[in-house]
Amino acid sequence: MPASIVYTDRVLRRELQLLALYRLLEASLLCLLVFSPIGPLIAEPHDANLAITVALGGLPAAFALWLWTRRPDAHLGELALIGVAVDITLALLITHALPTAGPGVALLLLTNIGGAALFLKLRVALLVAFAAAAAMIGEYVWSQIEGGSVRPLAEALMFAISFIAIAVLSNLLGERMRESQALAERHGEHAANLAGLNELIIRRMRTGVLIVDGRDRIKLANEAATLVLGGEDDGALDGTALAEPAPELAARLVSWRLDNRNDESPVLCGPERIEVQPRFMRLLPGSDSVLVFLDDASLVSRRAESLTLSAMGRFSASLAHEIRNPLAAINYAAQLLEEAELADADRRLLQIISQQCQRTNGIVESVLGLARRERAMPEQLELVAAVRRFIADFHLTLAPENGSLQQAGRDRPLEAVFDPRHLQQILTVLVQNAINHGRLPGEIARVTVAVEVREGRPAIEVTDRGPGIPEAVASQIGRPFFTTSEYGTGLGLYIARELAKANGATLDYVSVPGGGACFRLVLSGRNPLLSA
C-alpha cells in the first residue's frame, strides 16, 4: 500500500477516535446530570426512569464505540454511521426525558453530526442530517401528544436546519481537506523521489562530488570522490576533515575561500595520488558549505585530445589532398630526371628527393587513414588461414636483407569475427614497425606472427627479437603523434588501436622477458549469427 494512503488512513482513524472520546465525554456529562444531586436543579426531568435508562445505556455504548475505533480492521464509514445513529437515538430520548436540557443536547448533537459527516459521502451525510432533523421534530410531536412540551416548534425547526447545514459544510470541508492532504502527500512523495533520484545520480556520477562544511569537514562524498580520496566504502569519509585524505585539496579550498577564484590546475589526491582538477562552488548563497567537483585530469586530457584530433583530422584530410598533387608531380619529375645522364652527385640528390617523397606520401596516407575512420564490417574469419595469406602477401614486398617473417602458434583452424580490411591494415602496421625497430645492431629483424587463444578468446601476437621497448616509452605507445623515430608520424599504432576498438577487439603491448617486443590483438570469438 502506498505511504500516502497509509498516512491518510492513520490520520482519519485518529480523528474518529477523537470523535469517540467526545461521545464518551457527552455520555459522562449525561450521567453526571442524571445521577448528581444538583442534576434536578439544572434540568427538571419529565420522565426520570427514561433519563436513568438512557444514562445507564449511553455510557457503555459510548465506551464500546471508542474501543471499536481502536481496532485496525474497523471500517471508518460504517463506524461513523453507527456512532451518529446512536447519538441521534440518545439525543431524542434524553431530550424527551429532560425537556429543559433539550437545547444543550441539540448543540452537542451538532458536533456529532458534523464529525460523522467528515467520514461519510455527501448523500449519506444528508440522510443522517434529515434523520436528526426528523428526530427533533418527532420528539416535539411526541411531547405535544403527552402534553408536557415547553419548547416552541421554531426551536426544533432551527436545529433541524442547523443539522442539515452542518452536515453539508462538514462533508464538503472534509472532502477539500482530504484532497489537499492527498495532493500535499503526492507532492511530498514526488519531492522525496526526486531527492532520492538526485542523490543516486550524484553518488553514481563519474565526476567526484564533495560537500564540505565551514570547518572543512566532509559532509557528503559520492562514490567517485570516495575512490579518489581512498575511502573504503560509501559514506566512509562523512565527517572526516578534508585535510586528512587530501591536504593539497584542503589548501586549495582555503585559498578559494580567500579570493573566490578557481585554480583549475591539477592536484594529487588520495593514497594513489590521483591527479584531479578541482572546482569549488558555494552550496547556497551566504552558506559556508562548499560544493567541490573533482574531475579526473586524465579524462579531461583525453576529451581535449579527442576534440583536437577530430578538428585536426578534418583539417589534415583537406590538407593531405592538397599535398598529394604537387608531391606526385615532384616524384614524377624526379623519375624523369633519373633517365637523363647525370653525375653521381646529382643522382644522389635525386635519390634523396625520391626518398623524401616516399616518406611524405607515407605521412599523407597515415593522416588520411586517421581522418577516414571507416566503419567496421566484421565477418567470420578463420585466423590461421588469414595470417598465412597475409604473410605470403607481405613476403612479396619484403627484401631478405631487411628481415624475416614467419608464422607460429597453432595450426588448427580458429574462428573469429573481424573486418578483413582492418585486420590487414593492423597487421601491416605491426609487422612493419617490428621490421623497422625490432632488430639488434648488425642483425636483420626476425618477426613472428602467431595465432593463439588467450583467456578463451582468439588472439594474434606479433613478436620481434629486438631490444624491446623501455618501460617509460611503453606507457605512451598508441598515443597519437607519439613516436621515437625521426621518420615516424606517431599515427600508425594509434590508427591500428582505433580499428581494433571498432571491431570490438583490444590491441596491447606485452613485454617479453627474454627480450624483444610483442603486440597482442585479442579478437571477438565465433559469432553464431554470422555462422548460421
Side-chain angles (χ1 to χ4, degrees):
M1 188 177 294
S4 60
I5 297 178
V6 173
Y7 176 77
T8 304
D9 182 76
R10 186 170 65 248
V11 171
L12 291 176
R13 287 185 181 278
R14 187 178 61 214
E15 293 175 354
L16 191 59
Q17 289 175 6
L18 292 176
L19 181 60
L21 286 174
Y22 175 74
R23 183 180 296 111
L24 192 59
L25 175 62
E26 290 177 326
S28 301
L29 291 176
L30 177 59
C31 290
L32 182 64
L33 184 64
V34 172
F35 299 108
S36 172
I38 61 173
L41 300 177
I42 299 174
E44 184 68 27
H46 170 68
D47 189 338
N49 292 330
L50 180 59
I52 294 173
T53 303
V54 172
L56 290 177
L59 187 60
F63 186 75
L65 288 171
W66 176 73
L67 290 178
W68 195 1
T69 59
R70 298 181 62 84
R71 294 181 55 182
D73 58 341
H75 190 276
L76 300 181
E78 293 179 357
L79 192 55
L81 183 59
I82 293 174
V84 75
V86 171
D87 295 332
I88 293 172
T89 303
L90 293 177
L92 169 64
L93 296 176
I94 200 64
T95 300
H96 186 75
L98 301 173
T100 55
V105 172
L107 287 175
L108 293 175
L109 185 59
L110 276 173
T111 304
N112 295 73
I113 294 173
L118 293 173
F119 304 93
L120 302 173
K121 294 183 178 180
L122 180 60
R123 183 181 303 173
V124 180
L126 285 174
L127 290 177
V128 169
F130 280 118
M136 293 296 295
I137 297 174
E139 190 280 327
Y140 175 81
V141 174
W142 185 10
S143 298
Q144 287 292 335
I145 293 173
E146 291 186 353
S149 176
V150 294
R151 298 167 52 227
L153 177 61
E155 178 183 298
L157 293 176
M158 285 188 290
F159 276 119
I161 295 173
S162 299
F163 293 155
I164 297 172
I166 195 67
V168 174
L169 292 176
S170 296
N171 184 269
L172 295 177
L173 179 62
E175 288 293 331
R176 297 294 182 272
M177 290 175 60
R178 281 189 287 272
E179 290 175 2
S180 299
Q181 185 175 3
L183 180 62
E185 289 166 3
R186 287 196 299 270
H187 287 173
E189 288 181 1
H190 184 60
N193 291 335
L194 287 179
L197 180 60
N198 290 336
E199 183 177 357
L200 179 62
I201 292 173
I202 291 173
R203 290 196 177 276
R204 299 296 184 184
M205 283 174 59
R206 297 182 64 180
T207 300
V209 179
L210 294 173
I211 297 180
V212 183
D213 61 15
R215 297 181 300 168
D216 290 348
R217 290 191 171 274
I218 299 173
K219 296 173 63 177
L220 175 67
N222 70 345
E223 291 180 0
T226 302
L227 291 175
V228 169
L229 299 182
E232 295 181 357
D233 51 17
D234 193 17
L237 298 176
D238 294 354
T240 305
L242 181 61
E244 293 182 13
E248 296 181 26
L249 182 62
R252 185 72 62 84
L253 176 59
V254 172
S255 175
W256 177 82
R257 289 185 187 275
L258 293 176
D259 56 18
N260 203 29
R261 295 178 58 186
N262 271 309
D263 180 5
E264 296 189 2
S265 58
V267 297
L268 299 177
C269 296
E272 298 184 5
R273 310 301 290 165
I274 298 176
E275 192 177 52
V276 298
Q277 287 183 325
R279 291 179 290 122
F280 305 100
M281 182 185 301
R282 293 199 181 275
L283 188 60
L284 293 172
S287 172
D288 291 333
S289 296
V290 178
L291 195 61
V292 184
F293 296 96
L294 303 177
D295 295 317
D296 190 339
S298 63
L299 291 177
V300 175
S301 176
R302 285 197 293 271
R303 289 195 200 103
E305 185 177 87
S306 177
L307 291 174
T308 302
L309 286 173
S310 178
M312 189 171 60
R314 292 191 295 269
F315 170 74
S316 301
S318 60
L319 183 63
H321 283 294
E322 296 297 327
I323 292 175
R324 294 181 80 177
N325 292 331
L327 184 64
I330 294 172
N331 192 35
Y332 181 67
Q335 291 176 2
L336 292 178
L337 284 175
E338 287 179 353
E339 298 177 359
E341 295 183 0
L342 298 173
D344 292 340
D346 293 335
R347 289 192 177 278
R348 175 59 183 160
L349 292 176
L350 284 177
Q351 187 179 5
I352 293 174
I353 293 174
S354 179
Q355 290 175 349
Q356 295 304 315
C357 283
Q358 292 178 4
R359 180 190 171 207
T360 306
N361 187 65
I363 295 174
V364 170
E365 290 295 334
S366 297
V367 170
L368 287 176
L370 176 65
R372 287 190 191 106
R373 295 288 184 94
E374 296 179 356
R375 181 179 178 183
M377 300 179 67
E379 300 177 6
Q380 198 80 35
L381 294 179
E382 201 285 290
L383 289 186
V384 176
V387 170
R388 187 180 297 115
R389 287 193 300 271
F390 168 79
I391 293 177
D393 293 339
F394 199 89
H395 274 146
L396 298 177
T397 60
L398 177 63
E401 63 272 14
N402 289 337
S404 66
L405 177 62
Q406 61 182 359
Q407 185 173 358
R410 61 184 285 157
D411 295 327
R412 290 174 298 159
L414 180 63
E415 293 188 351
V417 177
F418 211 87
D419 188 327
R421 299 172 299 113
H422 290 175
L423 182 62
Q424 179 84 10
Q425 190 172 352
I426 293 172
L427 291 178
T428 301
V429 170
L430 297 179
V431 172
Q432 193 63 55
N433 281 351
I435 290 175
N436 293 337
H437 308 292
R439 67 178 69 192
L440 294 174
E443 298 183 8
I444 64 171
R446 293 180 174 85
V447 183
T448 302
V449 181
V451 178
E452 304 285 356
V453 176
R454 301 295 181 186
E455 297 181 357
R457 296 176 63 184
I460 300 176
E461 297 179 351
V462 178
T463 309
D464 62 61
R465 298 181 183 178
I469 301 176
E471 185 176 350
V473 176
S475 61
Q476 302 185 63
I477 287 178
R479 294 184 60 183
F481 306 107
F482 174 79
T483 179
T484 57
S485 171
E486 59 178 332
Y487 299 106
T489 62
L491 292 175
L493 280 176
Y494 173 74
I495 294 174
R497 185 164 287 176
E498 290 298 307
L499 292 177
K501 287 182 181 178
N503 287 271
T506 58
L507 178 61
D508 299 307
Y509 167 72
V510 181
S511 60
V512 180
C518 174
F519 283 88
R520 179 180 295 160
L521 177 67
V522 181
L523 300 86
S524 298
R526 186 170 183 268
N527 191 336
L529 295 179
L530 292 177
S531 61

